[in-house]
Amino acid sequence: MHNNELVLYYQPKVCLLRGVVIGAEALVRWSDREHGLLAPDVFLPLAEKSGLLHDLTLKLLDQIVDASKQLREREELGSLANPALSVEPMSISMNVAPNDLASRTISNRIKELLAGREIRSTDLQIEITESAVMGNVDRVYDDLCRLKSMGIKILMDDFGTGYSSIDRLSQLPFDALKLDQGVVKRMGTSRQNLDVVRSAISMARELGMTSVAEGIESAEIYNFLLAHGCEEAQGYFIAHPMSFADFQDFLSVNHHFEGSQIGRVHQASLDLLRYRKMLMDAAFCARLGQGVSLKSVADPEIDFDVRRSPIGSWYYGVGQQLADVESFVSMEDSLRKVHADGRSFLQLIRSGMSATELEQSISNIDIQIGSLISQLHKLEHLLLTSRA
Ligand code: C2E
Ligand code: MG
Ligand code: MG
């Protein structure tokens, strides 16, 4: 640390929906004169044991802040040079250990950096491994919430190796699940292993989290993840970790990465089916009468704002990149209508509607959902043929 021999390497991350580089993961190396470049697994456990982790983490955070500043300058210069072509803002993710969180080392420093406007909350993300969180929930929970309240995204790293229960997961303030590279690599070996990845992507969506995959080493794996709605990707297939200077060079080259919303459009049709099922469940519970159904099932909540619904967060978020596609634009009216109809359907159930009213309302909602699904299918066909 005194000799400044700890350096960060940056491994690019790509948005699978758009095929563009959106940032990098910072990975520490010890550049030792005698032994060359040492991997973190070799020296981090020693740093932790000898009580040096606290200082090491702060030093690395300083390096990331410098890197972020340079990336921001690049972004600002780019938009000055050509206001019509905005340069993608970069986000750097940093790995932390439970002690970094329990001691508030990271969050105290980040708070200062944000207050001094030295970084924006979107410049930085925090990664912590699933096993580290699950073994230390009580020690890290408050700090995770604190970071989240500052607008910092938090990723659960190596997801699939730490035995988290879905119940625990839904209560922790994670923004993204980063699938473990072992899980990603095994995908190609059997149908079951493929299904594990597919359900992890769907689970992330249902919990309102982003799905990220690491350890992607081939085009086959990259394309499968893209087709199933995984949102971000990292791995040797895209690029190996590299020095910051090399990362800047990497950004200035016009790389082509495949990107498509096709997987996300498929997820949107699943969102609609889940929405319909939620309404059906509420109707079914009403028929059963009081006291024999789960309250959250009998009386579900639909946010007033369609933008906050699962499908709305795609449509009004990243989906907007398809705003020049007719079948995308024409979905908006039905989307708003089916959302409003769902809310009135629940109100009618609460006030005790007749069987005829129920039948009529369900039919109306089904017409809207049917039309939305067929528009999503059209969009899928279009994305297939245009490779957009
Ligand atoms: P991680 O956060 O899961 O990082 C991903 C690891 O996988 C990195 O190893 C990266 O070089 C490697 N990797 C990336 N793409 C591929 C691929 O396509 N194939 C294969 N086989 N490997 C790939 P690395 O740099 O040796 O880091 C190991 C672990 O050390 C990291 O795992 C992270 O948990 C920890 N670590 C790294 N830097 C830091 C740090 O600054 N602080 C803390 N607390 N932990 C760190
Ligand atoms: Mg990581
Ligand atoms: Mg990992």
Side-chain angles (χ1 to χ4, degrees):
M1 265 159 49
H2 281 297
N3 298 344
N4 288 326
E5 289 173 359
L6 293 178
V7 285
L8 283 171
Y9 268 45
Y10 294 82
Q11 186 177 34
K13 278 190 195 175
V14 165
C15 166
L16 285 170
L17 282 70
R18 296 182 291 131
V20 295
V21 180
I22 47 171
E25 174 173 13
L27 296 156
V28 67
R29 269 97 184 91
W30 179 354
S31 168
D32 180 65
R33 272 181 225 134
E34 215 179 302
H35 300 98
L37 220 51
L38 297 175
D41 301 344
V42 178
F43 61 89
L44 281 184
L46 297 174
E48 186 138 33
K49 237 187 255 165
S50 53
L52 286 172
L53 191 75
H54 176 266
D55 292 343
L56 188 148
T57 302
L58 287 177
K59 255 189 143 53
L60 296 181
L61 183 55
D62 285 344
Q63 282 190 34
I64 293 180
V65 171
D66 278 347
S68 285
K69 281 183 187 155
Q70 293 184 54
L71 292 172
R72 190 155 68 196
E73 274 165 26
R74 186 184 160 272
E75 186 189 321
E76 284 162 2
L77 281 176
S79 56
L80 269 180
N82 189 348
L85 270 183
S86 66
V87 177
E88 188 70 29
M90 293 289 136
S91 188
I92 304 290
S93 67
M94 175 182 197
N95 293 283
V96 300
N99 279 343
D100 293 320
L101 296 173
S103 64
R104 296 200 154 197
T105 304
I106 287 284
S107 62
N108 285 339
R109 180 79 185 115
I110 291 178
K111 197 170 173 212
E112 285 169 14
L113 289 164
L114 288 172
R117 293 177 180 271
E118 291 191 65
I119 53 165
R120 302 168 293 197
S121 58
T122 48
D123 290 337
L124 197 66
Q125 300 182 351
I126 296 292
E127 296 191 11
I128 178 156
T129 63
E130 182 187 23
S131 51
V133 175
M134 289 306 156
N136 295 281
V137 174
D138 296 341
R139 295 178 61 227
V140 302
Y141 180 77
D142 286 349
D143 216 40
L144 288 176
C145 294
R146 190 167 181 234
L147 285 164
K148 183 154 176 136
S149 71
M150 295 177 199
I152 304 283
K153 280 205 169 133
I154 310 167
L155 282 69
M156 179 178 274
D157 204 352
D158 300 348
F159 177 70
T161 56
Y163 312 102
S164 18
S165 66
I166 188 159
D167 177 43
R168 262 277 164 79
L169 252 182
S170 66
Q171 286 161 19
L172 291 167
F174 282 93
D175 297 284
L177 295 183
K178 191 167 183 185
L179 302 185
D180 177 60
Q181 47 176 290
V183 173
V184 171
K185 278 198 196 101
R186 281 194 293 280
M187 253 169 80
T189 59
S190 74
R191 191 77 214 172
Q192 268 127 316
N193 290 341
L194 212 63
D195 286 339
V196 168
V197 170
R198 217 199 326 253
S199 25
I201 296 172
S202 290
M203 188 174 81
R205 278 233 23 76
E206 284 189 57
L207 295 175
M209 299 182 197
T210 305
S211 49
V212 186
E214 67 178 342
I216 299 170
E217 294 187 356
S218 68
E220 289 93 328
I221 301 260
Y222 183 98
N223 292 328
F224 177 89
L225 290 164
L226 177 149
H228 284 83
C230 179
E231 285 146 289
E232 295 174 16
Q234 188 187 333
Y236 296 165
F237 174 67
I238 297 160
H240 283 250
M242 56 187 92
S243 69
F244 185 61
D246 287 346
F247 180 57
Q248 283 176 302
D249 290 345
F250 180 87
L251 291 178
S252 54
V253 176
N254 219 347
H255 294 281
H256 173 75
F257 296 109
E258 195 69 52
S260 171
Q261 303 235 8
I262 195 157
R264 200 60 185 73
V265 169
H266 167 68
Q267 294 283 344
S269 56
L270 296 181
D271 287 342
L272 278 171
L273 292 179
R274 273 190 221 110
Y275 175 74
R276 179 180 185 278
K277 177 67 177 139
M278 175 180 80
L279 300 176
M280 291 300 119
D281 281 348
F284 179 64
C285 291
R287 222 193 68 197
L288 291 175
Q290 278 181 347
V292 286
S293 322
L294 294 171
K295 187 176 174 323
S296 55
V297 181
D299 195 12
E301 276 170 37
I302 300 184
D303 198 293
F304 184 75
D305 188 353
V306 62
R307 289 162 194 265
R308 284 201 285 263
S309 68
I311 186 169
S313 66
W314 162 72
Y315 190 88
Y316 293 99
V318 71
Q320 286 298 316
Q321 242 115 33
L322 301 169
D324 52 355
V325 180
E326 168 56 28
S327 46
F328 177 83
V329 178
S330 62
M331 282 171 55
E332 185 170 9
D333 286 346
S334 307
L335 192 62
R336 288 186 169 280
K337 180 142 182 25
V338 82
H339 188 77
D341 285 357
R343 286 175 58 83
S344 1
F345 180 69
L346 292 180
Q347 267 155 13
L348 276 174
I349 290 181
R350 278 175 210 131
S351 58
M353 65 164 89
S354 69
T356 339
E357 279 175 321
L358 185 79
E359 170 55 29
Q360 186 58 47
S361 294
I362 292 176
S363 301
N364 285 341
I365 287 171
D366 278 350
I367 291 170
Q368 302 289 339
I369 289 185
S371 122
L372 276 168
I373 288 189
S374 75
Q375 289 180 85
L376 284 168
H377 288 172
K378 255 193 222 156
L379 205 55
E380 262 182 295
H381 295 181
L382 203 82
L383 290 168
L384 255 183
T385 46
S386 69
R387 290 169 60 87

